[in-house]
Amino acid sequence: MSNKVIYAIYNDDDVLMDAVKQTRAAHHHIEEVFTPFPVHGLDKAMGLAPTRIAICAFLYGLVGLSVATALMNYVMIEDWPQDIGGKPSFSYIQNMPAFVPIMFELTVFFAAHLMVITFYMRSRLWPFKTAENPDVRTTDDHFLMEVAVHGNEDEMVTFFQNTGAVEVKVIEKH
């Protein structure tokens, strides 16, 4: 089985967007698109599913709120209750209004830090990872669309040249 892909290189983001739409309409599978900057609407044009990071952020915030509640209850009520400003230390509920800033801060802390860790793990961005960019021009001013070759290779090359690509290459991937 062949692992060939086509690298269609574009020099304009509007031309790239039109090419992505034409490629999807022609039922070719787009493996990846490399761009030097974020292109608005590219994810929808490629047909990518919406991200679920907001759900993770909410769950991580709940973890932070739970840790804050458990920590304050243990430290300020159970372990070493103190009379600070005449406030009763008999129950957590009586002191909860004083604990709201700490609950907020730990909610934000856990959500932010765990979201960053989740993002790096999900996108497989490890420390000291080598770049997977197939063409160095995509970090400057060009856009590259990687499409799997299924069927007639010459016909696909002609198709991508007609979409406005400035360069079309067929590459054997390992």
Side-chain angles (χ1 to χ4, degrees):
M1 183 170 150
S2 173
N3 288 331
K4 289 186 178 181
V5 293
I6 289 181
Y7 288 165
I9 300 174
Y10 301 89
N11 58 4
D12 187 0
D13 57 335
D14 293 328
V15 176
L16 172 74
M17 284 293 288
D18 292 337
V20 166
K21 291 174 185 173
Q22 290 175 27
T23 304
R24 295 240 324 138
H27 303 291
H28 296 301
H29 178 67
I30 300 173
E31 298 284 337
E32 187 66 73
V33 176
F34 297 90
T35 64
F37 55 84
V39 178
H40 180 68
L42 184 61
D43 54 341
K44 287 182 179 49
M46 288 177 63
L48 299 178
T51 180
R52 295 183 300 264
I53 193 110
I55 297 168
C56 291
F58 178 73
L59 295 175
Y60 296 153
L62 288 179
V63 169
L65 183 64
S66 301
V67 167
T69 302
L71 178 71
M72 290 181 300
N73 185 51
Y74 176 72
V75 171
M76 299 300 290
I77 305 301
E78 294 176 14
D79 185 39
W80 194 5
Q82 299 179 35
D83 184 4
I84 300 172
K87 292 181 182 165
S89 57
F90 305 123
S91 73
Y92 179 82
I93 296 298
Q94 289 176 321
N95 288 314
M96 206 246 329
F99 297 153
V100 168
I102 299 165
M103 294 180 341
F104 172 77
E105 292 297 332
L106 281 181
T107 299
V108 172
F109 179 85
F110 272 71
H113 285 78
L114 292 175
M115 273 181 21
V116 167
I117 292 169
T118 301
F119 172 76
Y120 283 136
M121 289 177 62
R122 183 71 177 105
S123 59
R124 293 182 178 88
L125 290 174
W126 314 114
F128 311 110
K129 182 180 181 198
T130 57
E132 295 177 1
N133 199 350
D135 193 323
V136 295
R137 293 178 291 177
T138 60
T139 62
D140 187 23
D141 62 348
H142 281 70
F143 306 85
L144 185 141
M145 180 170 36
E146 181 179 315
V147 180
V149 175
H150 298 293
N152 189 350
E153 180 180 313
D154 295 329
E155 184 180 302
M156 289 182 73
V157 168
T158 305
F159 171 78
F160 286 109
Q161 287 171 341
N162 292 335
T163 62
V166 294
E167 186 178 331
V168 179
K169 296 189 257 184
V170 179
I171 305 291
E172 183 79 33
K173 285 192 88 168
H174 316 292

